[in-house]
Amino acid sequence: MEKLQFSTTIQATKQRVWASLWEDANYRKWTSPFCEGSHAVTDWKEGSKALFLGPDNSGMVSKIAVNKPYEFMSIEHLGEVKNGIEDISSEKVKDWAGAHEDYTLTEKDGVTTLLIEMDSADSFKDYLIKSWPKALEQLKALAEQPV
């Protein structure tokens, strides 16, 4: 597995960026470059299950490994969901089970830098390299819009 990094600078406080990342309506908007209609089913609390699903109820089953509000979120991917059925034990998911997706926010003078570090299997690398910049553009637009 390879560690990928993506980052952006956002003209907003880390509280505003955090809300843009994790509030349901915002999450659905900025993640659309990965899959139109994607959404998360979770309470975002540390230790909680998180389902990252597309409109067909397929996607990933994960857990919130760390949640330090306004500073750091770590998501551990455990397996996949197909047609609403969770798979965390097949050979197919074992290749990337345990992969982490980490979000670090640092703020200086009302400007927030967001760093995403994530483990990626080779089969997902090109998709992620194409999709993350578009998603970060969406996120930046959401966080920077006037209140």
Side-chain angles (χ1 to χ4, degrees):
M1 228 176 300
E2 185 176 344
K3 177 109 29 210
L4 303 178
Q5 291 188 342
F6 306 92
S7 67
T8 189
T9 301
I10 302 171
Q11 302 293 318
T13 65
K14 61 185 179 179
Q15 289 83 356
R16 178 76 186 254
V17 174
W18 190 263
S20 297
L21 280 165
W22 311 122
E23 287 179 2
D24 183 57
N26 292 330
Y27 182 86
R28 290 172 185 262
K29 289 177 187 169
W30 76 262
T31 59
S32 64
F34 295 105
C35 175
E36 194 65 46
S38 65
H39 60 285
V41 179
T42 185
D43 62 10
W44 300 109
K45 292 180 181 171
E46 195 165 300
S48 291
K49 180 193 277 189
L51 299 176
F52 298 98
L53 304 172
D56 63 351
N57 282 331
S58 294
M60 297 184 299
V61 58
S62 308
K63 78 172 182 179
I64 306 302
V66 179
N67 181 340
K68 293 183 180 175
Y70 316 118
E71 293 179 21
F72 183 74
M73 178 83 77
S74 180
I75 300 164
E76 181 181 359
H77 299 301
L78 305 173
E80 69 178 6
V81 180
K82 282 252 183 187
N83 303 316
I85 298 173
E86 296 177 23
D87 172 10
I88 58 170
S89 61
S90 72
E91 288 303 313
K92 180 181 177 186
V93 302
K94 285 182 181 178
D95 281 347
W96 55 270
H100 279 256
E101 185 172 327
D102 298 334
Y103 297 74
T104 304
L105 289 76
T106 53
E107 180 187 344
K108 184 175 181 186
D109 300 326
V111 177
T112 301
T113 300
L114 171 63
L115 172 65
I116 293 109
E117 297 177 289
M118 65 183 307
D119 301 316
S120 173
D122 285 342
S123 57
F124 291 109
K125 183 179 174 183
D126 290 341
Y127 167 73
L128 293 169
I129 288 171
K130 281 187 220 170
S131 301
W132 265 111
K134 295 173 189 170
L136 289 176
E137 278 181 37
Q138 296 271 41
L139 178 66
K140 185 176 171 74
L142 282 168
E144 290 181 346
Q145 67 187 359
V147 180

